[in-house]
Amino acid sequence: MLTKKEQRLRRARQTRIRIAQQGIARLTVNRTNLHIYATVISGDGSKVLASASTAEADVRKSLGGAGKGGNVEAAQAIGKRIAEKAKAAGVEKVAFDRAGFAYHGRVKALAEAAREAGLQF
């Protein structure tokens, strides 16, 4: 019997195989109870092009201090921030890698905010 984490990682592996075949940059999301992280990785997977998280000092300050990074508002802020950084790095189109997490709540809020800010996926 697989644990919950092993099941999530298995789903993530399948998604990454499909994204690798496309050969475009991917926007990967990781969430914990306290924070949410977003990273844009190059098409060949060798380089991080942009990253944003609620663990960054200036983001924490704008959210209102420690302990505020695990909610939907924080995820929306990170979605906008990662879209701006990706566009600055010259990336307009990405594949969304939710890393096995359900497309619901914070993951969905991050994705929709990134779309609104101009990323295409």
Side-chain angles (χ1 to χ4, degrees):
M1 180 108 183
L2 296 174
T3 65
K4 190 173 183 179
K5 182 177 180 181
E6 290 169 341
Q7 290 172 352
R8 182 185 66 79
L9 293 175
R10 182 181 159 279
R11 288 190 302 268
R13 198 173 312 116
Q14 296 299 319
T15 303
R16 289 194 182 119
I17 289 169
R18 279 184 254 121
I19 291 173
Q21 291 173 348
Q22 294 175 2
I24 62 172
R26 68 184 161 115
L27 170 61
T28 184
V29 176
N30 186 29
R31 66 174 175 80
T32 63
N33 288 338
L34 294 179
H35 296 289
I36 190 157
Y37 307 86
T39 309
V40 176
I41 301 172
S42 65
D44 59 358
S46 65
K47 212 165 35 168
V48 173
L49 304 174
S51 66
S53 76
T54 55
E56 296 172 1
D58 53 338
V59 174
R60 276 187 292 157
K61 193 179 295 183
S62 68
L63 292 174
K68 305 285 186 184
N71 56 25
V72 172
E73 290 81 21
Q76 290 171 341
I78 295 302
K80 290 176 187 172
R81 188 173 172 90
I82 194 67
E84 292 167 1
K85 286 185 173 185
K87 288 171 79 174
V91 177
E92 293 288 328
K93 190 172 183 181
V94 295
F96 188 63
D97 179 4
R98 57 188 175 83
F101 294 108
Y103 188 79
H104 178 74
R106 291 187 285 156
V107 175
K108 182 178 179 180
L110 188 144
E112 289 176 351
R115 279 192 190 104
E116 288 175 9
L119 266 183
Q120 298 175 356
F121 53 93

